[in-house]
Amino acid sequence: MSMDRKTFLKLGGCGLAAAVAGNKLAGLVQIAGGQSAPGEKTLRASRWAMVIDTRKCQRADGCDACIRACHEAHNVPSIPDPRREIKWAWKDRFEHAFPELETSPLPGDVRERQVLLLCNHCANPPCVRVCPTRATWKRQSDGIVMMDWHRCIGCRYCVAACPYGSRSFNWFDPRPYIRNMHAEYPTRTRGVVEKCTFCEERLAEGRLPACVEACPEKALVFGDAADPNSEVSQLLREQFALRRKPELGTEPQVFYLL
Amino acid sequence: MRDRVWITLGLIVFLVGITYPIWFNNAAGVRAEAPVLRKPVKGPNCVAPLEYMRASHMELLTAWRDEVVRQGNRRFVAFDGRTYTMSLSKTCLDCHDNRAEFCDRCHSYAGVSPYCWDCHVDPRQARTVRAWAGRPQAEGWAR
């Protein structure tokens, strides 16, 4: 087949444009003769969500395996002063988690339960709205409310905006308070805010969040709420679930079964 | 014109004074030599061509950082076809296993001090701090 110069150039141009557009669409960039690529085992979803079964999370020994696993995995410091503490996951009394139900009649022992709390990864996150540097943003692909610690300037607007107390501020260097500091995950430093990221770094390696994996009672279920066949969707279809402070319209993606 | 002697003398003293470090170092045999860097423990190539790394490794690190944190891409196919995880502590320090005698040595020579290590943990450092962090925290949260 013969081809004149003009056609050759046209086709070549189209090919180049397609290649560039393809890479752009896939979000890949060229770096120093190499190229970035998504992880091979990355777990994907359209909308990550967690269902916490408070009935299963009632061990008499005051189990906190989930919290310890999370804090260990992310080099979270243990600071004794509650005004200065850092927490990605923690427990509180039912009434504190669901203050709007304080005067409602509730069945059985519900009122006495301790409830696991963490970032709700809201569909409509107020923290993201107020962040002046976009250090926190909602990942469009899977709904995780992400943190970019490189951009955080420590203004604490997000701490004020979050209605769930999910964000902690580093008032001083956290390193002396980290029990088992390891190089798998960076620590934070004085003057940045931190919170749970639904273990985004583990999902990228094909692993479930650390808390979900650590729970001995399988009380935490994690999955894609946009996929009707996922376990979380099934649970939410079959059972009545609560969300924290629904009246605020933040649309939490962490659900509680009673 | 009566001050000419004093002015000349003053100038000589001044010139000797400001060039003193040069005389002194020459006499003491000190030379500005490039720092001796620890060889990487793995190879044969770095994650980008050597010349690029020498001049622009900070740009590569910034690109890696943005890819991982903002785009969620964690894999890097290098110019030589090898695949790496884009990570400062887990990849760079895996081959350049001695930060003090590689990154820091060159940086102190060049007069730069990246703040990355305020957060990113050097695996060597992790071991020493681990021993130290085991101490009882009885003194409370006060700094």
Side-chain angles (χ1 to χ4, degrees), chain A residues 83-231:
Chain A
R83 289 176 309 160
R84 300 285 185 262
E85 72 184 347
I86 308 280
K87 50 198 182 7
W88 285 31
W90 71 104
K91 281 189 178 179
D92 205 341
R93 287 179 34 218
F94 183 86
E95 280 171 309
H96 292 169
F98 299 95
E100 67 277 10
L101 298 179
E102 202 179 345
T103 52
S104 311
L106 289 166
D109 67 331
V110 168
R111 214 177 278 288
E112 276 76 61
R113 285 184 195 163
Q114 288 280 317
V115 184
L116 176 67
L117 305 174
L118 66 157
C119 170
N120 279 306
H121 294 276
C122 304
N124 185 14
C127 53
V128 168
R129 269 227 311 263
V130 298
C131 180
T133 62
R134 292 217 197 167
T136 188
W137 77 102
K138 187 160 181 67
R139 197 153 80 177
Q140 289 308 320
S141 56
D142 59 8
I144 294 183
V145 175
M146 292 281 295
M147 275 300 298
D148 185 343
W149 281 280
H150 306 98
R151 284 209 199 176
C152 178
I153 56 171
C155 71
R156 287 170 281 149
Y157 287 8
C158 58
V159 180
C162 176
Y164 307 105
S166 300
R167 289 173 167 273
S168 310
F169 180 69
N170 285 280
W171 292 91
F172 42 80
D173 179 13
R175 284 196 172 179
Y177 298 93
I178 300 174
R179 290 232 172 80
N180 256 322
M181 190 165 87
H182 55 79
E184 290 296 304
Y185 199 84
T187 68
R188 271 66 59 199
T189 184
R190 186 168 102 174
V192 295
V193 170
E194 57 184 272
K195 73 165 193 79
C196 150
T197 62
F198 262 177
C199 278
E200 172 270 332
E201 82 288 357
R202 288 170 61 100
L203 297 174
E205 294 175 349
R207 296 196 292 169
L208 285 175
C211 55
V212 176
E213 207 170 73
C215 179
E217 301 293 334
K218 306 265 171 286
L220 311 181
V221 179
F222 188 74
D224 188 353
D227 171 7
N229 298 319
S230 70
E231 198 182 342

Side-chain angles (χ1 to χ4, degrees), chain B residues 20-48:
Chain B
Y20 177 72
I22 301 174
W23 305 121
F24 183 85
N25 278 347
N26 260 348
V30 178
R31 259 166 231 295
E33 274 172 46
V36 181
L37 302 178
R38 169 79 68 135
K39 289 272 169 239
V41 292
K42 292 179 197 165
N45 293 329
C46 197
V47 296

Side-chain angles (χ1 to χ4, degrees), chain B:
Chain B
M1 281 296 155
R2 265 177 293 132
D3 292 339
R4 173 179 285 177
V5 172
W6 294 114
I7 290 171
T8 319
L9 215 66
L11 275 177
I12 290 172
V13 168
F14 174 71
L15 283 176
V16 168
I18 63 160
T19 51
Y20 177 72
I22 301 174
W23 305 121
F24 183 85
N25 278 347
N26 260 348
V30 178
R31 259 166 231 295
E33 274 172 46
V36 181
L37 302 178
R38 169 79 68 135
K39 289 272 169 239
V41 292
K42 292 179 197 165
N45 293 329
C46 197
V47 296
L50 182 56
E51 284 315 309
Y52 174 91
M53 288 311 285
R54 245 176 221 162
S56 315
H57 55 279
M58 55 309 266
E59 282 163 31
L60 176 121
L61 281 170
T62 306
W64 275 21
R65 180 193 73 195
D66 290 349
E67 276 301 288
V68 170
V69 181
R70 313 251 9 146
Q71 308 299 333
N73 295 326
R74 287 182 181 250
R75 217 151 40 97
F76 181 68
V77 184
F79 69 112
D80 58 359
R82 282 163 206 261
T83 305
Y84 298 97
T85 302
M86 292 191 272
S87 170
L88 181 52
S89 297
K90 288 182 271 186
T91 305
C92 307
L93 295 190
D94 182 34
C95 291
H96 303 292
D97 72 329
N98 192 325
R99 196 187 105 206
E101 292 176 16
F102 187 76
C103 319
D104 295 357
R105 192 168 276 178
C106 194
H107 288 159
S108 65
Y109 175 80
V112 273
S113 40
Y115 62 92
C116 319
W117 311 112
D118 289 356
C119 297
H120 289 266
V121 183
D122 177 353
R124 285 176 181 246
Q125 194 189 4
R127 281 193 286 275
T128 42
V129 176
R130 193 168 279 177
W132 177 61
R135 81 203 199 289
Q137 301 190 334
E139 70 269 45
W141 59 273
R143 267 163 279 176

Side-chain angles (χ1 to χ4, degrees), chain A residues 12-22:
Chain A
C14 288
L16 194 67
V20 169

